[in-house]
Amino acid sequence: MFDHEALDERGELVVVHKLPYSDVTQYSAEERATKFGADAPLEYSHTLTDQIGGQLAAGFVLTGFAEAPHQSNASAHFMSHYCATLAVKPG
């Protein structure tokens, strides 16, 4: 969601990407290698509809949910970056 350079270098929260987000659709392979390094992991975001709705549509029952911020940058003071579900499939 945020400009990586503004966030990492100055702690500024500058919105530049619409959510959901994918490094694959936002940047070419060459741009990703230049900006993040050739071996950097790809980043994706998902809507809760896609993530949780998809699990429910597949027949899973959610039994747990947790959120956590990305502790290494300034946005952690304002929002959670990660969520995890615990789901079981009956039967």
Side-chain angles (χ1 to χ4, degrees), residues 6-44:
L7 188 57
D8 293 342
E9 294 173 13
R10 299 181 302 279
E12 295 176 358
L13 301 174
V14 179
V15 175
V16 293
H17 302 291
K18 181 180 177 182
L19 300 179
Y21 169 84
S22 167
D23 281 343
V24 173
T25 58
Q26 186 64 37
Y27 302 106
S28 69
E30 296 80 22
E31 289 172 317
R32 288 192 308 271
T34 300
K35 285 181 93 54
F36 309 117
D39 295 326
L42 297 174
E43 290 189 23
Y44 297 89

Side-chain angles (χ1 to χ4, degrees), residues 1-2 4 7-8 13 19 43-46 48 51 65-84:
M1 172 178 208
F2 300 110
H4 289 282
L7 188 57
D8 293 342
L13 301 174
L19 300 179
E43 290 189 23
Y44 297 89
S45 71
H46 308 280
L48 291 177
Q51 184 175 9
F65 183 84
E67 294 180 278
H70 188 311
Q71 296 293 340
S72 68
N73 68 44
S75 63
H77 301 290
F78 302 99
M79 62 188 282
S80 294
H81 292 76
Y82 305 104
C83 66

Side-chain angles (χ1 to χ4, degrees), residues 48-65:
L48 291 177
T49 297
D50 286 344
Q51 184 175 9
I52 295 174
Q55 291 175 338
L56 296 173
F60 286 88
V61 175
L62 296 182
T63 60
F65 183 84

